Every structure is written in C-alpha cells, then in structure tokens.
Amino acid sequence: MRAPRANMLRGSLALLLTLLCALAAGAQDSVTVLLLGTGSEQREAELTARIRGQTRDMTLQLRVHRQQAPITADGAGEQARASQAQIVVWTEATGPTGLKVRILDVASGELRARSVSTSEREALASSTMAEMAALVVRSELAALLAERAARARRPPPEPTPAPPPEPAPPPSAPMPVRPPHADASWLVALGYRPSLPIRDQLAHGVALAGRRELGKLVLGVVGQLAAPFTLSDPETRIRLRRGGLRAEALRALMLSARLRLLLGGAAGLTLTGRTTRAVRPPLQGAGGAITAGATLGLLTELHWQASRRLGVWLGAGVDGVLWRTKFAYESAAGRHQLGSLARFEPWLMLGFFARWPASAQGP
C-alpha cells in the first residue's frame, strides 16, 4: 500500500512543479506597458478605457500614470525604468480634432509616432478619436510584441566587432482613418404628444418622426394624431378629431458625450374634423366637416443616447395657427360659440428614438 501512495505523491509534486513553471514562464512573457497622460481627466479616462478594451486579449500589463510636465522621450524612458515597464505610450494634441500617438520601446530606444484625426463636423469627435487612437496603440503594440518574440527565438549571434550605430528610423507615416458613416445617419422617433389646441382643453396624441442627420444639421418630417375630444354646453356637443403633418429643420449642439440639444423651426398643415350632436330638442345634429389650418412654430429638444442605437427624446414647442377655426351652432336664441382654435398652441413630446448606423456613443 505504501508504494502506490508514494507514487501518487510523486505524481502530485511533479504536476505542481509543472504548473509553477508554466506560471513563471507566463509572467516572464508578460510585458508591462506604461500609459502616460497630461490631458484633461475626462479625455484621458476615455482614452485609457478604450486602450484597455482593445488590448484586453494581449499578454501585457497596463499601468497608468498622470503628470503635469510635458512628456519627452527621455522623460518617458526614465518613467518606464522607475515603473519597470518595457513600453511607454503617450499622446499629444495636434489641434481640436487631431491627436499624435507616441510609442517608445525602452529596450531598443525605438520611438514610433502615429497621427489620427477626425472631421470637425463629427458630432462625437472625442469618442471617435479615442477609439481610433486605441486601435493605433493596439496595432503598434502587436508589432512590438511580435518583434520581441522573434528576438527571443533567435539564436545568440557569434561575437563580432560592434558595428557603428545606425540612425533611428523615421516615424511611421500617418494612417488616414475615417470612421464609417461620419457625415450622416437616420433617426426614427415615436412618442406621446400632449397639446393645448383650445384654451383650457388638453388634447392627448402620438407623434411619429423621421429624421436625416447631416452633421449638425437635422432635417425631418413628423406625423401627429390626437385622440378625439369634446366641446359641449347644455344643448350641444361637438366631437373633434385632429391630425397633421409638419416639416422641421434643427441645429444640433453637443452638451456631453451622450446628451445633445436641438433648436429649430417647423411648418405644417393640420386637419380638424368635427361632428355636432344635439343634446335636447328642438336642435338637430349636423353632419361631419373637416377644416384645414397652416402652422408655423419653434421647437427645442433634448436627446439622451442610452445605447449605441437607442435613446430618449424630450421636446417642447409652440405653433402659431395661421387659420383659426371657430366651433359654434345656431339655435332659436341665436348663435352660440363653444370655442375656437388658439392663436398659439403649446405642446410637449416624450418618447424613444432609434438611430442607424449605430452611434459611437453609449456602452
């Protein structure tokens, strides 16, 4: 019985030593990358998050260090040696829509530089630029890791006289990167729309909007339909139904990475259908009729991007009614007016929207 137990113990020790050697080899193969930052906390946080996401599957450890002084190649090398890092990455702003990414291989002293930029009309320029910079960092780190692995597999050279130092290679040429669909996208929204078409008379309705977003300019068409409501007195009831179509033009302003404000105007046509019913004789109900009215209005909206495709829409505005319809009936006592369309009709809009192609914002 002792022999099998001894063999089992020796097998367990051998398996444990094998696992420890594998872990040690993995730790030796892992490369430490130091990410230096001097920009704003918001920009550096977004850039760090994008780089972590792009390099999550690579055998490296990412460390982040912020400093106030401008970053130089010598200073970056000193920071790397103090942090025991093999590669240093930092960025420099080259304008409102440009960024230069620098990667230093501490062992060889090789310094690489890549430039990224985005259109000034891009509504999500900071987020898009961070994603492009992260892709550049991933590409350069993959190349450096491949070179380090090739050097590790290469047999040691025969001792030869040291050759004269070669000049440093020139920086890599800038890689032109243009995100797809940066200029235009489509948006569809559906929501609840209360309004005051007649004084002290709240109308409930729905609205369906289709939009074309061309940078900061937004053009769209909105269809709206109100639930039927009633105007009445002791003798008569008038049943009203309203619907319309309007064209809109707006200007978009970015407030944050997910929130934007839109301001603009609209022009449209509204149809009002009415049916009159007598409450008591001798009055008699009248047949239905439809009247049309033109509107001109101002509106403002807040859009919050909840995800890459979906968001929440909150809007408000006021429409000026060019042709006002009055609602009245005739009786033996004369003409009785139950109400008329207001000269100015305020309204609200609360709903959801979908955008395609998908926005770069959101999780």
Side-chain angles (χ1 to χ4, degrees):
M1 295 296 295
R2 293 182 178 178
R5 291 182 179 178
N7 292 334
M8 184 181 300
L9 179 60
R10 284 195 293 270
S12 300
L13 290 175
L15 178 61
L16 180 60
L17 290 175
T18 302
L19 292 175
L20 290 176
C21 292
L23 291 175
Q28 291 177 355
D29 293 338
S30 178
V31 175
T32 300
V33 178
L34 181 62
L35 180 60
L36 300 180
T38 59
S40 65
E41 292 186 3
Q42 180 179 0
R43 192 197 76 175
E44 294 297 336
E46 185 175 20
L47 182 60
T48 301
R50 297 302 177 95
I51 293 177
R52 286 188 186 277
Q54 289 291 340
T55 59
R56 187 179 293 112
D57 59 333
M58 303 175 70
T59 57
L60 54 83
Q61 298 179 3
L62 185 63
R63 298 179 182 175
V64 182
H65 178 73
R66 290 184 55 82
Q67 64 183 55
Q68 300 297 328
I71 302 174
T72 62
D74 294 339
E78 293 177 1
Q79 288 282 358
R81 285 184 284 272
S83 303
Q84 297 182 350
Q86 290 79 39
I87 300 175
V88 189
V89 178
W90 72 96
T91 61
E92 299 174 1
T94 58
T97 59
L99 203 67
K100 178 163 286 188
V101 182
R102 297 187 183 275
I103 301 95
L104 174 65
D105 188 348
V106 179
S108 65
E110 179 183 6
L111 177 63
R112 302 187 178 192
R114 301 281 294 273
S115 297
V116 296
S117 62
T118 185
S119 172
E120 294 183 357
R121 298 179 60 191
E122 169 61 36
L124 309 172
S126 61
S127 178
T128 303
M129 190 182 303
E131 184 67 21
M132 291 192 297
L135 290 172
V136 169
V137 171
R138 176 185 174 86
S139 174
E140 294 293 343
L141 289 179
L144 288 176
L145 292 178
E147 293 177 4
R148 295 174 66 90
R151 289 197 299 266
R153 293 191 300 268
R154 196 177 300 141
E158 295 292 334
T160 56
E166 298 180 358
S172 304
M175 180 179 64
V177 178
R178 182 179 181 83
H181 315 298
D183 294 332
S185 62
W186 290 96
L187 182 146
V188 173
L190 177 65
Y192 165 64
R193 185 183 187 274
S195 64
L196 284 174
I198 300 175
R199 183 177 180 181
D200 300 329
Q201 181 67 54
L202 179 63
H204 303 274
V206 295
L208 177 64
R211 296 277 180 82
R212 179 65 167 171
E213 301 184 348
L214 305 171
K216 295 183 178 180
L217 178 63
V218 181
L219 303 177
V221 177
V222 179
Q224 54 204 36
L225 181 66
F229 58 95
T230 303
L231 301 177
S232 63
D233 65 4
E235 297 182 344
T236 305
R237 291 180 182 175
I238 300 179
R239 188 73 164 169
L240 300 178
R241 295 175 175 83
R242 304 185 76 233
L245 191 68
R246 54 191 284 157
E248 299 176 339
L250 303 99
R251 174 82 170 180
L253 303 173
M254 295 302 300
L255 301 182
S256 68
R258 294 192 178 190
L259 186 67
R260 65 174 181 166
L261 173 69
L262 292 91
L263 302 172
L269 180 67
T270 302
L271 300 179
T272 303
R274 67 182 184 273
T275 303
T276 305
R277 185 169 66 89
V279 175
R280 59 188 181 185
L283 296 178
Q284 295 182 353
I290 298 177
T291 57
T295 60
L296 292 175
L298 299 175
L299 66 150
T300 181
E301 297 174 359
L302 275 177
H303 290 190
W304 181 66
Q305 191 81 29
S307 66
R308 293 175 62 86
R309 290 187 180 274
L310 300 178
V312 179
W313 173 328
L314 176 62
V318 60
D319 291 338
V321 181
L322 302 185
W323 307 313
R324 301 170 60 200
T325 303
K326 297 181 180 181
F327 306 101
Y329 67 93
E330 297 285 347
S331 69
R335 181 180 177 83
H336 303 270
Q337 181 170 320
L338 299 184
S340 64
L341 293 180
R343 187 178 301 276
F344 296 100
E345 178 182 355
W347 56 268
L348 295 175
M349 169 74 173
L350 176 61
F352 299 90
F353 65 84
R355 173 183 285 113
W356 75 91
S359 169
Q361 312 173 129

